[in-house]
Amino acid sequence: MATGKGTGNAFDFNLFKRLIKYTNPYKWTFYFVALAAILLSFFAVLRPYLLQLTIDNSILPQDSENLVFYISLMVGALFLEVIFQFLFIYFANWLGQEVIRDLRVNLFKHMLQFKMKYFDKSAVGRLVTRAVSDIETIASIFSEGLFVIASDLLKMLVILIFMFYNSWELTLLVLTVMPFILYATRVFQKKMKIAFEDVRNQVANLNTFVQERITGMKIVQLFTREKVEYENFKEINHKHKKGWIKTVWYNSIFFPIAEMSSAITVGLIVWYGGLRVVDNDALSLGIIIMFIELAQTLFRPLRQIADKFNTLQMGMVAANRVFAILDTEASIPDTGKVEIDHLKGEIEFEEVRFGYEEDEEVLKGVSFKAHPGETIAIVGATGAGKTTVINLLNRFYEINSGRILVDGTDITQVTLRSLRKEIAVVLQNVFLFADTILNNITLYNPNVSEEDVVRAAKEIGVHEFIISLPNGYHYNVKERGVMLSSGQRQLISFLRAYVSNPSILVLDEATSSIDSYSEQLIQEATDKITRDRTSIVIAHRLATIKKADKILVMDAGKIVEMGTHKQLLKVENGYYKNLYEVQFMAEESL
């Protein structure tokens, strides 16, 4: 299982085996790329061998006919090598892109199932990094890492066998340098593994910081935090640079060592082979030239393996992080068997206890019942647990104890999809996607047509507002709906809830920061969409509270009072009566 922590190990075979399973749907492409790698390894010795034959059989004997023949063979071999190199690179990259497409789809599907608690504790920037840049890095395992390394190792094996066949003395001479370069490569790999883990951490930190500051730019500028955030960014960016500089440092040491080793090997071949040729030994000039070519071809893959191993390491680190999310069990257990087509709208909380943290209860034994068609208003101070009640009804979080029932059925026995389909929620903080008003209302539900949306908009009184905008229902509200006022966004969210035709409506009626015209429209929309429908309203306006069939007064996670507006005003020294006198009486007088 992926742990998400760098261990310094050069390679994680369990992680690799898990990743390679994603190639199963494309096994024939995988086999073809492997075959191309094998053929390329033979081409690696074919050209030096043809060069040796050309020198010994054509150039030294001054045989022009043979020279043309051997040059033709070399051109043909080069042409075939280019063709297979092209096919190898193209299909290795194609395979990588197919794998990361499937992996990204699986990751996003998995994240869609996470409960809200996971997102409460996870930085958005980090999740974006995992789903975008980390998965792109995984593609390099196939395009620049795995197959290239396998091909290079095979090339080295074929070259060594061929070199032993032609001259074991020169081969042993070449191999005297090999242990040194292999040891350096091994150390290099381990160091780069740790360095790349640090780089990915710094990338995630940078993404998180930038995303949060851009999203909250209004707050940054309102509180004149530009200089402070600039200095913070410089510090994070500096750490990011230091992470990369460490990788550059290791590269700067290793590659000169590899070049020096290659040069020493060529020098040894020329020295020993040259003496043998001068002494008229069995070695020919063509064999010496061939060994020089083969030695360089042998060391070139070795250098490339180290370089490509860096790529492979980065891909494995990224895969480790992605699989860590895939291994996270943070979804609400969807074990319910009951499918709901329509609810009467009865809601019951039975001694519900819940806390966002294990040792901090937010709801402390909440019990109430809403009959079909009733409007329940919830009032109380900030932090009393009002929003938590509506979050739990939708099973965004799991309760610690107690039961929540709809139409007499425990919501844990109902499938999540059918439960949430019957409950529409209008939140205080309205979220709109960078899309048209129509798409933000329908959310691409094929069962809701534009005609349905227009008819619903007319019914709740927001049609005139929408058609006053450029392009009307096809007006693009941009990211988070910034082209609309808070009141307009609230009206869109009301319409979105209304067209879904829910059995239960949950409404966080926020009108404190909007203009009076939008407030009037929202009140009219509230009256319309709550009519003949069970509604739970976190009430901010006296008009809504007075119309409620039942008022729940919450304080510190408990329901301290319950009744109608008139009943609660009769409670001497009651919490609601005090709240009414302090907060709502001024509104009523206005």
Side-chain angles (χ1 to χ4, degrees):
M1 182 179 292
T3 63
K5 296 180 181 179
T7 61
N9 295 329
F11 199 76
D12 188 335
F13 281 99
N14 290 329
L15 182 65
F16 177 73
K17 285 194 317 187
R18 184 175 178 184
L19 183 62
I20 212 70
K21 287 180 181 177
Y22 280 85
T23 65
N24 288 343
Y26 318 104
K27 60 182 179 181
W28 291 112
T29 303
F30 184 90
Y31 295 152
F32 177 79
V33 174
L35 175 63
I38 294 171
L39 292 174
L40 287 172
S41 67
F42 286 100
F43 282 119
V45 299
L46 180 58
R47 284 190 295 106
Y49 177 61
L50 290 175
L51 178 61
Q52 180 248 320
L53 293 178
T54 303
I55 293 172
D56 289 342
N57 298 340
S58 301
I59 295 177
L60 293 180
Q62 298 182 350
D63 187 339
S64 58
E65 290 184 6
N66 265 346
L67 181 62
V68 173
F69 172 71
Y70 283 120
I71 289 176
S72 299
L73 288 178
M74 292 175 68
V75 170
L78 180 62
F79 177 75
L80 288 175
E81 186 176 5
V82 168
I83 293 296
F84 279 100
Q85 188 75 34
F86 163 75
L87 294 174
F88 174 79
I89 294 172
Y90 176 81
F91 283 106
N93 279 273
W94 182 90
L95 182 62
Q97 291 301 316
E98 292 294 323
V99 167
I100 67 167
R101 180 197 63 186
D102 295 345
L103 188 58
R104 184 179 282 124
V105 167
N106 287 346
L107 178 65
F108 189 72
K109 181 181 179 181
H110 189 65
M111 290 168 61
L112 285 174
Q113 311 303 318
F114 283 165
K115 50 191 171 186
M116 291 300 108
K117 187 174 183 179
Y118 179 86
F119 296 105
D120 292 342
K121 295 185 176 182
S122 301
V124 175
R126 288 183 179 274
L127 295 178
V128 171
T129 300
R130 302 294 177 266
V132 181
S133 61
D134 277 346
I135 287 188
E136 285 296 335
T137 305
I138 292 173
S140 63
I141 291 178
F142 299 94
S143 60
E144 301 174 38
L146 169 65
F147 291 116
V148 174
I149 290 175
S151 176
D152 286 346
L153 287 173
L154 193 56
K155 279 181 186 178
M156 293 172 64
L157 178 62
V158 172
I159 288 171
L160 283 172
I161 293 173
F162 187 72
M163 290 172 74
F164 266 111
Y165 176 78
N166 282 274
S167 173
W168 63 269
E169 301 104 315
L170 288 178
T171 304
L172 289 178
L173 202 64
V174 171
L175 290 178
T176 57
V177 185
M178 288 287 286
F180 175 71
I181 189 64
L182 287 173
Y183 174 75
T185 302
R186 177 68 174 172
V187 172
F188 177 67
Q189 291 167 355
K190 287 186 175 182
K191 295 294 185 182
M192 290 301 283
K193 166 75 173 181
I194 299 172
F196 281 133
E197 176 72 22
D198 183 49
V199 166
R200 299 311 303 170
N201 278 329
Q202 297 307 328
V203 168
N205 290 337
L206 192 62
N207 284 348
T208 300
F209 183 90
V210 171
Q211 182 164 4
E212 285 185 346
R213 270 54 184 186
I214 291 177
T215 303
M217 187 58 70
K218 182 179 290 186
I219 299 299
V220 171
Q221 294 183 356
L222 278 173
F223 290 89
T224 62
R225 296 278 299 175
E226 294 93 338
K227 185 175 181 180
V228 174
E229 298 301 343
Y230 171 70
E231 294 299 328
N232 290 338
F233 178 79
K234 281 175 62 178
E235 178 63 25
I236 293 174
N237 199 35
H238 177 67
K239 290 179 179 178
H240 177 259
K241 182 204 73 173
K242 283 178 65 178
W244 275 110
I245 289 296
K246 193 180 293 183
T247 67
V248 173
W249 168 253
Y250 293 140
N251 278 295
S252 301
I253 294 175
F254 174 76
F255 286 103
I257 290 175
E259 287 292 337
M260 181 183 67
S261 302
S262 178
I264 290 173
T265 303
V266 171
L268 291 173
I269 293 172
V270 172
W271 168 72
Y272 181 78
L275 290 177
R276 295 283 298 276
V277 170
V278 170
D279 292 340
N280 295 317
D281 206 338
L283 287 179
S284 67
L285 181 61
I287 288 179
I288 294 175
I289 299 299
M290 180 183 71
F291 261 78
I292 292 174
E293 184 76 14
L294 287 173
Q296 291 179 330
T297 306
L298 180 68
F299 278 90
R300 190 180 308 119
L302 193 59
R303 293 195 300 272
Q304 287 179 352
I305 284 175
D307 189 27
K308 299 306 178 185
F309 207 97
N310 296 346
T311 301
L312 184 61
Q313 294 283 39
M314 289 190 72
M316 294 300 288
V317 168
N320 196 30
R321 293 173 178 275
V322 170
F323 283 131
I325 295 180
L326 286 172
D327 290 337
T328 300
E329 296 296 333
S331 59
I332 297 289
D334 192 9
T335 56
K337 303 297 182 183
V338 179
E339 288 281 348
I340 298 174
D341 290 328
H342 183 72
L343 288 172
K344 294 178 182 178
E346 182 181 271
I347 303 169
E348 187 170 4
F349 275 55
E350 294 183 351
E351 286 296 320
V352 173
R353 292 183 174 273
F354 169 77
Y356 295 100
E357 300 295 337
E358 292 184 6
D359 56 344
E360 296 180 15
E361 275 195 338
V362 177
L363 296 187
K364 304 170 183 177
V366 170
S367 298
F368 69 90
K369 188 171 185 177
H371 297 287
E374 278 190 340
T375 296
I376 304 294
I378 306 178
V379 299
T382 301
K386 304 186 298 295
T387 301
T388 302
V389 169
I390 63 178
N391 282 337
L392 296 182
L393 180 61
N394 279 276
R395 288 196 72 195
F396 288 144
Y397 300 87
E398 287 283 69
I399 62 177
N400 297 345
S401 64
R403 291 200 307 166
I404 302 175
L405 302 96
V406 290
D407 286 4
T409 303
D410 193 316
I411 61 173
T412 60
Q413 304 302 314
V414 181
T415 62
L416 280 175
R417 181 177 177 82
S418 64
L419 174 68
R420 291 173 180 171
K421 189 177 179 181
E422 292 301 311
I423 303 173
V425 181
V426 179
L427 297 173
Q428 180 174 353
N429 297 316
V430 179
F431 186 94
L432 298 181
F433 296 95
D435 207 332
T436 65
I437 287 179
L438 178 64
N439 291 335
N440 268 290
I441 293 169
T442 66
L443 296 177
Y444 292 93
N445 185 344
N447 297 320
V448 181
S449 66
E450 184 171 352
E451 291 74 20
D452 294 332
V453 173
V454 173
R455 183 168 55 254
K458 290 178 179 178
E459 288 176 2
I460 66 173
V462 300
H463 175 70
E464 296 299 325
F465 139 65
I466 295 176
I467 61 172
S468 68
L469 298 170
N471 299 322
Y473 288 86
H474 298 278
Y475 178 65
N476 193 312
V477 300
K478 305 301 181 183
E479 186 176 3
R480 295 178 179 270
V482 295
M483 302 304 291
L484 301 177
S485 69
S486 58
Q488 290 171 332
R489 291 196 296 271
Q490 195 79 0
L491 289 169
I492 297 300
S493 70
F494 271 81
L495 186 53
R496 180 160 62 191
Y498 188 58
V499 297
S500 68
N501 192 27
S503 301
I504 297 172
L505 178 70
V506 176
L507 179 61
D508 192 344
E509 184 204 345
T511 57
S512 58
S513 59
I514 61 177
D515 59 88
S516 57
Y517 175 70
S518 296
E519 183 176 352
Q520 181 181 352
L521 289 178
I522 287 174
Q523 185 57 45
E524 292 173 359
T526 301
D527 294 341
K528 179 65 179 179
I529 67 176
T530 57
R531 190 174 303 155
D532 301 323
R533 180 180 284 119
T534 305
S535 305
I536 296 180
V537 183
I538 296 179
H540 300 269
R541 302 181 71 256
L542 181 61
T544 303
I545 297 170
K546 292 173 72 173
K547 291 177 183 178
D549 298 296
K550 187 183 299 180
I551 301 170
L552 307 182
V553 184
M554 297 193 67
D555 182 38
K558 296 180 179 180
I559 296 178
V560 293
E561 293 174 4
M562 186 185 307
T564 64
H565 174 68
K566 291 182 178 180
Q567 290 171 344
L568 294 176
L569 285 181
K570 294 178 181 179
V571 179
E572 288 297 327
N573 299 318
Y575 189 102
Y576 179 79
K577 184 177 182 180
N578 179 62
L579 184 68
Y580 170 77
E581 292 173 350
V582 172
Q583 181 176 339
F584 297 130
M585 193 174 288
E587 179 186 333
E588 190 171 36
S589 64
L590 289 174

